[in-house]
Amino acid sequence: MNAASYASMSHEELVKETCRLQQCLDKEKKVSAAYAEELKRTREQAMAVQSQVEQEEEYITNKLMKRLEQLKKEKQLLATEVEQEEEFLTNTLQKKLEKLIKEKVDLESRLETEQEYVVNKLCKQLEQLSNEKAKLHKEKVDLENQLEAEQEYIMNKLQKQLEKLAGEKATLQRERADLQRQTSELSAAVDKLNRDKVTLESQMEMEEESIVNRLQRQLEQLTCCYKALEGRLEARGLTLRDMGLQPNELPPENWVSYSRSSSRANSGELCRQSWGSMRTSSLGSHHGAH
């Protein structure tokens, strides 16, 4: 509010305004006192914190100083150890270097000696190889000449053998034709022999049957005579043993059938033997032709 507004106000209003302003002033003083008290406490806390910080800084500084002194001592100790180690390594490397130099000199000397030996050996081997090469070249020429002569001899020999083989081939072809002809003739002869065999077997069977019938009749007559004789002897009280005869001296009853089968088997065997002899003779003549 400005002065003109205060001038227009009445006395009561001014009193009221004054009271209000006084109250506001008192209130502001209380607030200011509270702020001052707060500021004082804050300053005291700041002072306490600063003092504590200074103590901690002093403690840290002392601790760091001690650590720094310890590190300096360790650094000096490490420097001493490093110096000793460097000296030891230097001496060791120096000795190794001297040893390597000595070995290098020895190796160079030995290598030079070996190179000289190898060069001399290679020169001798080269000379020996040259001599062997010349010898091999001479042997190669001799072998080529010998091979050429042998090839010419072999070619002549093979030519003669080819001519001989051609003649033998022609002879074999003629013999083959003769053999085919003889085979045809032999086949015809075999067919003829087979037909003759069948005819002969038929004739033999007929003859055998005739002989067997005749023998059967004779046997029957003999059997009848034997029985009659035996009856007469029994009538007189005699036996065949008394007359000096044995019953087993007479032919048995199955003699006829046995004779028939034996004669047939003998005739078949005879035919087979004759056919085998003819075949062997023909094959022998063919092998003689070959």
Side-chain angles (χ1 to χ4, degrees), residues 82-192:
V82 168
E83 185 177 357
Q84 292 176 357
E85 186 71 21
E86 287 178 352
E87 185 177 359
F88 173 75
L89 290 174
T90 301
N91 295 330
T92 304
L93 292 175
Q94 185 68 29
K95 291 179 182 179
K96 288 185 178 180
L97 181 61
E98 292 175 357
K99 184 179 179 181
L100 288 174
I101 292 173
K102 184 178 179 181
E103 289 178 355
K104 180 183 177 184
V105 173
D106 294 339
L107 285 174
E108 288 178 351
S109 177
R110 189 170 62 183
L111 180 62
E112 184 177 357
T113 303
E114 290 180 355
Q115 284 179 349
E116 184 177 359
Y117 170 75
V118 171
V119 169
N120 294 330
K121 186 176 180 180
L122 289 175
C123 290
K124 291 180 181 179
Q125 290 179 355
L126 184 62
E127 184 178 359
Q128 185 178 359
L129 289 174
S130 299
N131 295 331
E132 290 180 357
K133 182 179 179 181
K135 183 179 179 180
L136 289 174
H137 181 69
K138 183 179 179 182
E139 290 178 355
K140 178 184 176 183
V141 173
D142 295 339
L143 286 173
E144 288 177 351
N145 295 330
Q146 185 179 358
L147 181 62
E148 185 176 357
E150 289 180 356
Q151 286 179 349
E152 185 176 359
Y153 170 74
I154 291 171
M155 289 297 294
N156 294 330
K157 186 176 180 179
L158 289 175
Q159 186 67 30
K160 292 179 181 179
Q161 289 179 356
L162 287 174
E163 293 175 356
K164 184 178 179 181
L165 288 174
E168 291 178 355
K169 181 179 179 182
T171 303
L172 289 174
Q173 289 178 350
R174 290 193 299 273
E175 290 178 355
R176 180 182 176 184
D178 295 338
L179 183 60
Q180 290 178 350
R181 179 178 54 78
Q182 291 177 4
T183 303
S184 300
E185 293 176 355
L186 184 60
S187 298
V190 169
D191 294 337
K192 183 179 179 182

Side-chain angles (χ1 to χ4, degrees), residues 211-228:
I211 292 170
V212 169
N213 293 329
R214 187 169 63 252
L215 288 175
Q216 183 69 29
R217 289 193 297 271
Q218 292 177 2
L219 182 60
E220 290 176 355
Q221 292 175 1
L222 287 174
T223 302
C224 291
C225 291
Y226 171 75
K227 289 181 177 180

Side-chain angles (χ1 to χ4, degrees), residues 15-32:
V15 172
K16 290 179 180 180
E17 184 66 23
T18 301
C19 291
R20 188 181 64 80
L21 291 174
Q22 185 65 38
Q23 290 176 356
C24 289
L25 179 61
D26 293 337
K27 187 177 180 180
E28 289 295 331
K29 284 181 179 181
K30 291 178 180 179
V31 172
S32 178

Side-chain angles (χ1 to χ4, degrees), residues 2 8 10 49 60 81 127 154 160 164 179 188 217 259 261 274 287:
N2 51 19
S8 61
S10 64
V49 170
I60 292 171
E81 291 178 356
E127 184 178 359
I154 291 171
K160 292 179 181 179
K164 184 178 179 181
L179 183 60
R217 289 193 297 271
S259 299
S261 61
S274 62
H287 287 298

